[in-house]
Each structure stands twice: as structure tokens, then as C-alpha cells.
């Protein structure tokens, strides 16, 4: 099979790392980077650390409004697809890069394989939800990471094209999360200088459009960190850099370590060693679950229902008192409960594409 894979954002590099290695054992892969994430520590560092093959094309498209970004990407991806004439287009998740690639391919009658299909938050103001719904409806093969994703497909008449393969984020976590030891991590502080990881710490990430429209949400999250019994490490997504620095300076928050984004090996190691986790990231919620760490998610919708059991992951509004209250709730971890597969989803993804090869044209 000849497969064109399109990636563009940090979570997609992680998933592509494990799938690409498996795919290339038997098939030809052409890797396209849209350019959506472009800073060294948001992109190239992941390719280096996870040994992802160098992209065959980098379209250099980033920023702008959703429509500007998606539209420009469609034009660039269409050119690549017309030239390469692949048997499959392979896409991951729910970013603008995912939707642009799927739409360009579907219009050229190239079968689309969507990894992380069926995930729904049931909130259409969430930009990723629109990307997920549209991508699933124009895809040929819908690969769900969990049973709940597969069940969601039934409500939209999609299940006959769906297969449960497990979560490649789980494969990646198993493969990469023990590569570094915490003592060897040096944090690059956003304001300049470096710091070692404190012996006890909380891990925070926050980048969603829902929490970054105004100052007040991040301000509440920072206030919560002041009320905790240990420092909080927050690798700041570029979307929030200026705001995070400004708020820390204005309010002199002393317990939060604002750092540059970290690579995946560092992030996974921080997850494993953190006391507890506060996030709005879809990936980090699952990684907290993989590591058995208590997680509080600052969103008003559920991304991964499988994690919302036994106090393991709880939603909170961006309110300092509520965040602290939820963090204090006990969790119960049952190691036999493994809803994200067996760590071999990359093999199952490639097998599913082989089995459905030719069927979608
Ligand atoms: C995107 C995804 C989101 C995902 C996140 C992963 C969409 C709609 N959103 O959000 O689902 O959770 O990636 O991290 O696709 N920027 C930089 N340097 C970079 C990357 C971004 O400075 O390397 C800045 C740009 O100014 C850009 C802003 O961050 O305008 C937001 O980036 P964008 O790719 O639009 O969205 P994310 O918030 O990263
Ligand atoms: N991540 C990382 N460095 C960071 C912050 C996050 O490597 O500084 C990893 C994190 O471990 C997770 C992935 O990036 O696996 C998820 O990406 P992100 O949170 O940006 O997007 P989402 O999952 O919300 O789409």
C-alpha cells in the first residue's frame, strides 16, 4: 500500500511516531507536515526524540483564523495527493490539519483512514468537535481508540465503517515514558534561566481555546497553584505565553514554574512523577490515567469518558476553590481496567488498513 500521512500538531506527532514505525515495515509512507505547529519545541524536537521519519513535504502553513488555516492547508494537501496518488490518506485526531487533509482526499476519491474516530464531546462550540464530526463522516475507515468511540458512531450511522483498535497514545506512553529519568530533566524557564524538577510537584498544561480567550480563566488556575502544598510545573503552550508571563508578573505568583514547552520524553516523565495533574489537554488526561495519577480537567465537557471513573479524572470550571476541592477527592485505581487497549494499537491500525485496502475506492 502507498499511504500519505498528514500531521501538523504536537499530539499527532506522538501518534504518528508509533504508527509510522509499524506501517513502514511493509508499506510505503509519504509523510506530510502541514506546518501547523512549527517552533522547535512544538515540532522538530518530537521528530528527533521519537525518531519520526523526516517529512517528505512541509507545507509551512500555520496561524490565521480557522478558515484561513484550513483552506490554505486543503490547497497544499490537494497538490501533494494529486502528485502522489496514494491508496490511503491517514489522519489522526481532531485538529485543523486533520480536517483539511480528510476533505482534500475525500474530494479526490482517495480513501481516508481516521485514527481516534468516534470521539465526541457533544459540544459544537468546541472547534475540535466540528473537525471530528466532519472528518468521520467523510472517512472510509473509522478507527476508534476505545469502545465508547465505537458506540458513538452508531448514533451517527457510522458504525459499519468502524473498528476498535486501541489508543496509539497508550502505545507511545508505554514505549517512551521510561526513556528519561526525572533527575536528568532541566526545565527552561519562560522568563529565562533554568531549574531542576522539584522533588514533589504538580503538573499543569492549559492551551484550549475555551480557556485562553480571556485572562480570567488562567488567573483562577494560577490562584489554585498558590493554594497547593507543592510547586506546579507548567510548560506553556505558545498560545498562552504572553498571558502567563504577564499574570505571573502582575500577581507575583511564587509557586508556579512557567517553562518552555517540553518534549514528549520529558512530558511523559513529568506525568509519571507528578503528584497530581491539572490540564485541559485530551492527551494529558489519558496519560494521567495511564500513569494512575489523579487528574482534574478544566473543561465543561468530557473528552474521554473511560477516564472519568473512581475519582480518577474530574471536570472543574476554571475556579481556584473548585480545582482544589476536586484535586483533594480520593481516587481508586484498578490496574485491571484497561479501556485504551493492550499497547499494540499501531499493529491493529496497520492491519485494519490492510484488510480494508481497495474496499473504499
Ligand atoms: C491545536 C489544535 C488543538 C490541539 C493543539 C495541540 C486545532 C483547531 N486545534 O491547537 O486541538 O489540542 O493544537 O497542542 O487544530 N503557535 C506558535 N508556535 C507553534 C504553534 C502555535 O507560536 O509552534 C501559536 C500561533 O500563534 C498560533 C497559536 O499558537 O496562532 C495557536 O496555534 P494553533 O495551531 O492554531 O492551535 P493550538 O492552540 O495549538
Ligand atoms: N506535551 C508535550 N510537551 C508539553 C506539553 C504537552 O510533549 O510541553 C504532550 C503531552 O504529554 C501530550 C501531548 O503533548 O501527550 C498532547 O498535546 P496537547 O496537550 O498539546 O494537545 P491535545 O492532546 O489537547 O490535543
Amino acid at each position: 500500500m502507498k499511504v500519505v500521512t498528514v500531521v501538523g500538531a504536537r499530539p499527532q506527532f506522538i501518534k504518528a511516531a508509533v504508527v509510522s514505525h509499524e506501517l513502514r515495515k511493509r508499506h510505503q509512507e509519504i509523510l506530510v507536515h502541514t506546518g501547523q505547529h512549527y517552533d522547535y519545541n512544538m515540532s522538530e524536537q518530537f521528530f528527533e526524540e521519537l525518531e519520526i521519519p523526516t517529512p517528505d513535504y512541509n507545507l509551512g502553513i500555520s496561524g490565521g483564523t480557522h478558515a484561513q488555516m484550513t483552506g490554505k492547508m486543503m490547497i497544499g494537501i490537494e497538490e501533494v495527493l494529486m502528485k502522489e496518488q496514494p491508496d490511503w490518506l491517514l489522519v489522526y485526531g481532531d485538529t485543523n490539519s486533520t480536517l483539511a487533509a480528510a476533505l482534500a482526499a475525500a474530494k479526490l476519491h482517495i480513501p481516508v483512514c481516521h485514527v481516534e474516530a468516534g470521539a465526541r464531546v457533544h459540544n459544537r462550540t468546541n472547534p475540535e468537535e466540528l473537525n471530528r464530526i466532519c472528518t468521520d463522516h467523510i472517512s472510509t475507515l473509522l478507527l476508534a481508540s476505545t469502545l465508547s468511540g465505537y458506540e458513538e458512531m452508531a448514533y451517527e450511522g457510522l458504525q459499519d465503517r468502524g473498528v476498535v483498535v486501541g489508543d496509539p497514545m497508550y502505545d507511545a506512553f508505554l514505549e517512551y515514558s521510561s526513556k528519561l529519568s526525572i533527575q536528568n530533566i532541566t526545565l527552561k524557564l519562560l522568563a529565562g534561566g533554568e531549574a531542576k524538577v522539584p522533588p514533589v510537584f504538580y503538573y499543569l498544561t492549559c492551551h484550549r481555546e475555551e480557556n485562553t480567550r480571556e485572562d480570567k480563566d488562567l488567573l483562577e488556575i494560577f490562584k489554585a497553584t498558590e493554594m497547593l502544598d507543592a510547586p506546579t510545573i507548567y510548560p506553556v503552550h505558545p498560545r498562552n505565553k504572553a498571558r502567563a508571563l504577564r499574570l505571573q508578573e502582575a500577581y507575583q505568583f511564587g509557586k508556579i514554574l512557567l517553562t518552555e514547552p517540553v518534549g514528549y520524553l520529558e512530558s511523559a516523565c513529568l506525568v509519571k512523577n507528578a503528584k497530581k495533574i491539572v490540564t485541559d489537554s485530551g492527551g494529558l488526561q489519558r496519560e494521567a490515567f495511564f500513569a494512575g495519577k489523579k487528574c482534574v480537567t478544566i473543561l465543561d465537557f468530557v473528552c474521554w469518558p473511560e477516564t472519568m471513573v473512581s475519582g480518577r479524572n474530574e471536570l472543574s470550571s476554571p475556579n481556584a476553590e473548585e480545582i482544589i476541592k476536586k484535586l483533594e477527592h480520593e481516587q481508586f485505581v484498578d490496574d485491571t481496567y484497561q479501556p485504551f487497549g493492550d499497547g499494540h494499537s499501531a499493529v491493529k491500525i496497520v492491519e485494519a488498513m490492510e484488510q480494508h485496502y481497495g474496499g473504499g475506492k
Side-chain angles (χ1 to χ4, degrees):
M1 299 186 302
K2 180 175 181 181
V3 179
V4 166
T5 300
V6 175
V7 294
R10 181 163 70 179
Q12 293 163 338
F13 307 145
I14 300 163
K15 291 158 205 163
V18 289
V19 177
S20 203
H21 294 153
E22 193 57 38
L23 187 62
R24 286 176 189 231
K25 288 181 186 168
R26 297 194 286 279
H27 303 288
Q28 183 190 3
E29 183 185 43
I30 307 290
L31 190 58
V32 181
H33 188 329
T34 59
Q36 182 170 349
H37 286 176
Y38 50 89
D39 291 341
Y40 172 80
N41 55 22
M42 294 290 289
S43 175
E44 207 178 324
Q45 185 171 359
F46 289 77
F47 283 77
E48 288 172 4
E49 286 187 349
L50 308 183
E51 296 177 323
I52 306 167
T54 307
D56 300 277
Y57 299 86
N58 191 324
L59 306 179
I61 299 161
S62 62
T65 65
H66 283 275
Q68 285 165 346
M69 191 197 290
T70 311
K72 283 183 198 159
M73 284 175 182
M74 278 187 72
I75 295 167
I77 293 165
E78 183 183 57
E79 274 176 33
V80 174
L81 292 173
M82 289 199 309
K83 182 166 164 234
E84 297 291 347
Q85 294 292 325
D87 300 304
W88 281 110
L89 170 85
L90 174 60
V91 286
Y92 300 94
D94 53 18
T95 71
N96 290 344
S97 298
T98 312
L99 176 63
L103 208 43
K107 295 254 178 176
L108 293 171
H109 305 168
I110 294 167
V112 178
C113 174
H114 183 209
V115 172
E116 230 171 72
R120 295 287 184 274
V121 301
H122 301 284
N123 182 330
R124 291 199 179 195
T125 64
N126 170 239
E128 290 82 13
E129 182 82 338
L130 300 177
N131 292 344
R132 283 187 282 266
I133 293 171
C134 296
T135 302
D136 278 348
H137 280 260
I138 55 177
S139 291
T140 315
L141 182 57
L142 276 64
L143 302 183
S145 304
T146 61
L147 200 54
S148 75
Y150 182 66
E151 286 167 357
E152 288 284 356
M153 291 178 201
Y155 299 110
E156 295 173 37
L158 299 168
Q159 216 173 42
D160 58 335
R161 290 182 267 149
V163 181
V164 182
V165 290
D167 185 0
M169 289 296 274
Y170 186 42
D171 296 22
F173 195 75
L174 293 177
E175 186 169 343
Y176 297 110
S177 64
S178 302
K179 298 260 182 214
L180 289 183
S181 77
I182 199 83
Q183 295 82 3
N184 294 335
I185 294 181
T186 302
L187 301 167
K188 284 191 188 147
L189 300 175
L190 216 52
E194 293 182 341
K196 296 307 279 183
V197 177
V200 182
F201 66 93
Y202 292 83
Y203 186 27
L204 163 70
T205 74
C206 173
H207 71 279
R208 291 296 190 107
E209 204 168 284
E210 286 85 351
N211 290 325
T212 58
R213 289 193 189 108
E214 313 166 79
D215 282 0
K216 65 177 177 47
D217 298 330
L218 196 63
L219 182 57
E220 282 293 314
I221 296 169
F222 282 11
K223 282 182 183 166
T225 68
E226 285 293 297
M227 296 153 76
L228 290 169
D229 56 0
T232 298
I233 297 175
Y234 174 25
V236 184
H237 186 289
R239 181 194 269 283
N240 246 351
K241 182 173 176 174
R243 173 177 288 128
L245 281 169
R246 179 161 44 74
L247 290 178
Q248 191 183 37
E249 172 143 10
Y251 292 84
Q252 292 293 301
F253 293 116
K255 282 179 141 177
I256 187 157
L257 284 164
L258 301 181
T259 81
E260 294 287 347
V262 295
Y264 181 68
L265 302 186
E266 290 85 351
S267 182
C269 185
L270 290 169
V271 169
K272 272 191 149 172
N273 287 279
K275 184 167 180 184
K276 293 177 185 175
I277 290 168
V278 178
T279 192
D280 59 9
S281 153
L284 219 76
Q285 288 180 61
R286 281 174 281 162
E287 286 158 0
F289 180 90
F290 304 153
K293 301 291 172 165
K294 170 85 191 184
C295 184
V296 170
T297 296
I298 316 292
L299 286 172
D300 63 3
F301 48 76
V302 171
C303 303
W304 295 96
E306 296 74 9
T307 64
M308 297 276 165
V309 295
S310 312
R312 296 182 64 172
N313 184 13
E314 294 184 63
L315 298 183
S316 173
S317 59
N319 170 276
E321 281 75 25
E322 187 181 347
I323 294 168
I324 297 297
K325 199 172 99 200
K326 299 274 170 74
L327 275 173
E328 284 168 356
H329 288 170
E330 293 280 327
Q331 67 161 350
F332 170 71
V333 178
D334 171 5
D335 288 327
T336 63
Y337 172 58
Q338 296 291 351
F340 293 95
D342 60 4
H344 295 99
S345 82
V347 173
K348 295 192 180 93
I349 289 167
V350 175
E351 283 174 357
M353 292 174 78
E354 286 169 347
Q355 278 159 18
H356 293 81
Y357 173 50
K361 283 201 176 179

Short mmCIF file of all heavy atoms in Angstrom, two decimals, residues 121-141:
data_model
loop_
_atom_site.label_atom_id
_atom_site.label_comp_id
_atom_site.label_asym_id
_atom_site.label_seq_id
_atom_site.Cartn_x
_atom_site.Cartn_y
_atom_site.Cartn_z
N VAL A 121 -17.44 15.08 22.22
CA VAL A 121 -17.64 15.76 23.50
C VAL A 121 -19.05 16.35 23.60
O VAL A 121 -19.41 16.94 24.61
CB VAL A 121 -16.57 16.86 23.75
CG1 VAL A 121 -15.18 16.26 23.74
CG2 VAL A 121 -16.69 18.01 22.76
N HIS A 122 -19.82 16.22 22.52
CA HIS A 122 -21.21 16.69 22.48
C HIS A 122 -21.32 18.18 22.79
O HIS A 122 -22.14 18.61 23.58
CB HIS A 122 -22.08 15.84 23.43
CG HIS A 122 -22.06 14.40 23.04
ND1 HIS A 122 -22.75 13.92 21.98
CD2 HIS A 122 -21.35 13.35 23.55
CE1 HIS A 122 -22.51 12.62 21.83
NE2 HIS A 122 -21.64 12.26 22.77
N ASN A 123 -20.44 18.93 22.17
CA ASN A 123 -20.46 20.38 22.33
C ASN A 123 -19.92 20.99 21.04
O ASN A 123 -18.73 20.93 20.77
CB ASN A 123 -19.59 20.79 23.53
CG ASN A 123 -19.62 22.29 23.76
OD1 ASN A 123 -19.79 23.08 22.83
ND2 ASN A 123 -19.47 22.69 25.01
N ARG A 124 -20.83 21.56 20.25
CA ARG A 124 -20.41 22.02 18.92
C ARG A 124 -19.76 23.39 18.93
O ARG A 124 -19.39 23.92 17.88
CB ARG A 124 -21.58 21.95 17.95
CG ARG A 124 -21.94 20.51 17.67
CD ARG A 124 -22.75 20.33 16.41
NE ARG A 124 -23.02 18.91 16.22
CZ ARG A 124 -23.44 18.38 15.10
NH1 ARG A 124 -23.65 19.13 14.06
NH2 ARG A 124 -23.66 17.09 15.01
N THR A 125 -19.62 24.01 20.12
CA THR A 125 -18.82 25.24 20.16
C THR A 125 -17.34 24.90 20.28
O THR A 125 -16.49 25.77 20.13
CB THR A 125 -19.22 26.15 21.35
OG1 THR A 125 -18.91 25.46 22.57
CG2 THR A 125 -20.70 26.49 21.32
N ASN A 126 -17.03 23.65 20.57
CA ASN A 126 -15.64 23.20 20.65
C ASN A 126 -15.11 23.00 19.22
O ASN A 126 -15.66 22.19 18.47
CB ASN A 126 -15.62 21.87 21.44
CG ASN A 126 -14.28 21.17 21.40
OD1 ASN A 126 -14.21 20.03 20.95
ND2 ASN A 126 -13.24 21.81 21.85
N PRO A 127 -14.08 23.77 18.82
CA PRO A 127 -13.66 23.69 17.41
C PRO A 127 -13.25 22.29 16.98
O PRO A 127 -13.49 21.88 15.84
CB PRO A 127 -12.47 24.66 17.33
CG PRO A 127 -12.08 24.98 18.73
CD PRO A 127 -13.28 24.72 19.59
N GLU A 128 -12.65 21.54 17.91
CA GLU A 128 -12.21 20.19 17.56
C GLU A 128 -13.39 19.26 17.30
O GLU A 128 -13.27 18.30 16.53
CB GLU A 128 -11.32 19.61 18.67
CG GLU A 128 -9.96 20.26 18.80
CD GLU A 128 -9.95 21.55 19.59
OE1 GLU A 128 -10.96 21.85 20.25
OE2 GLU A 128 -8.93 22.27 19.55
N GLU A 129 -14.54 19.51 17.96
CA GLU A 129 -15.71 18.65 17.76
C GLU A 129 -16.17 18.72 16.30
O GLU A 129 -16.51 17.69 15.70
CB GLU A 129 -16.84 19.07 18.70
CG GLU A 129 -18.09 18.19 18.61
CD GLU A 129 -17.99 16.90 19.43
OE1 GLU A 129 -16.85 16.46 19.73
OE2 GLU A 129 -19.04 16.33 19.76
N LEU A 130 -16.15 19.92 15.73
CA LEU A 130 -16.55 20.06 14.33
C LEU A 130 -15.58 19.31 13.42
O LEU A 130 -15.98 18.64 12.47
CB LEU A 130 -16.61 21.55 13.94
CG LEU A 130 -17.59 22.39 14.77
CD1 LEU A 130 -17.51 23.85 14.37
CD2 LEU A 130 -19.02 21.88 14.61
N ASN A 131 -14.30 19.41 13.74
CA ASN A 131 -13.30 18.69 12.94
C ASN A 131 -13.51 17.18 13.03
O ASN A 131 -13.40 16.46 12.04
CB ASN A 131 -11.88 19.03 13.41
CG ASN A 131 -11.49 20.47 13.11
OD1 ASN A 131 -12.15 21.13 12.30
ND2 ASN A 131 -10.44 20.96 13.74
N ARG A 132 -13.82 16.70 14.24
CA ARG A 132 -14.04 15.26 14.44
C ARG A 132 -15.26 14.77 13.66
O ARG A 132 -15.19 13.75 12.97
CB ARG A 132 -14.28 14.96 15.93
CG ARG A 132 -13.05 14.97 16.79
CD ARG A 132 -13.39 14.48 18.20
NE ARG A 132 -14.04 15.53 18.99
CZ ARG A 132 -13.40 16.36 19.81
NH1 ARG A 132 -12.10 16.26 19.97
NH2 ARG A 132 -14.05 17.29 20.48
N ILE A 133 -16.37 15.51 13.79
CA ILE A 133 -17.61 15.06 13.15
C ILE A 133 -17.44 15.04 11.62
O ILE A 133 -17.74 14.06 10.96
CB ILE A 133 -18.80 15.98 13.54
CG1 ILE A 133 -19.10 15.81 15.03
CG2 ILE A 133 -20.03 15.68 12.70
CD1 ILE A 133 -20.10 16.81 15.59
N CYS A 134 -16.92 16.14 11.08
CA CYS A 134 -16.77 16.22 9.62
C CYS A 134 -15.81 15.16 9.12
O CYS A 134 -16.07 14.49 8.11
CB CYS A 134 -16.27 17.62 9.21
SG CYS A 134 -17.43 18.91 9.60
N THR A 135 -14.69 14.98 9.81
CA THR A 135 -13.69 14.00 9.35
C THR A 135 -14.28 12.60 9.36
O THR A 135 -14.13 11.83 8.41
CB THR A 135 -12.43 14.07 10.24
OG1 THR A 135 -11.91 15.39 10.17
CG2 THR A 135 -11.36 13.09 9.76
N ASP A 136 -14.98 12.25 10.43
CA ASP A 136 -15.58 10.91 10.50
C ASP A 136 -16.56 10.67 9.35
O ASP A 136 -16.58 9.60 8.75
CB ASP A 136 -16.31 10.71 11.84
CG ASP A 136 -15.35 10.33 12.95
OD1 ASP A 136 -14.18 10.00 12.65
OD2 ASP A 136 -15.77 10.36 14.12
N HIS A 137 -17.37 11.68 9.05
CA HIS A 137 -18.41 11.46 8.04
C HIS A 137 -17.85 11.31 6.64
O HIS A 137 -18.50 10.72 5.78
CB HIS A 137 -19.47 12.58 8.12
CG HIS A 137 -20.45 12.33 9.23
ND1 HIS A 137 -21.69 11.79 9.03
CD2 HIS A 137 -20.32 12.49 10.57
CE1 HIS A 137 -22.31 11.65 10.19
NE2 HIS A 137 -21.50 12.07 11.14
N ILE A 138 -16.64 11.82 6.38
CA ILE A 138 -16.08 11.66 5.02
C ILE A 138 -14.99 10.60 4.99
O ILE A 138 -14.35 10.42 3.96
CB ILE A 138 -15.56 13.01 4.46
CG1 ILE A 138 -14.55 13.64 5.41
CG2 ILE A 138 -16.73 13.95 4.19
CD1 ILE A 138 -13.94 14.93 4.88
N SER A 139 -14.79 9.90 6.10
CA SER A 139 -13.74 8.87 6.12
C SER A 139 -14.30 7.52 5.68
O SER A 139 -15.48 7.24 5.83
CB SER A 139 -13.14 8.75 7.52
OG SER A 139 -12.38 9.90 7.81
N THR A 140 -13.38 6.70 5.19
CA THR A 140 -13.73 5.36 4.72
C THR A 140 -13.60 4.35 5.85
O THR A 140 -14.40 3.43 5.97
CB THR A 140 -12.74 4.94 3.61
OG1 THR A 140 -12.57 6.03 2.73
CG2 THR A 140 -13.22 3.72 2.86
N LEU A 141 -12.56 4.53 6.65
CA LEU A 141 -12.26 3.59 7.73
C LEU A 141 -12.12 4.40 9.01
O LEU A 141 -11.27 5.30 9.10
CB LEU A 141 -10.96 2.85 7.41
CG LEU A 141 -10.48 1.79 8.39
CD1 LEU A 141 -11.53 0.71 8.61
CD2 LEU A 141 -9.18 1.16 7.87
#
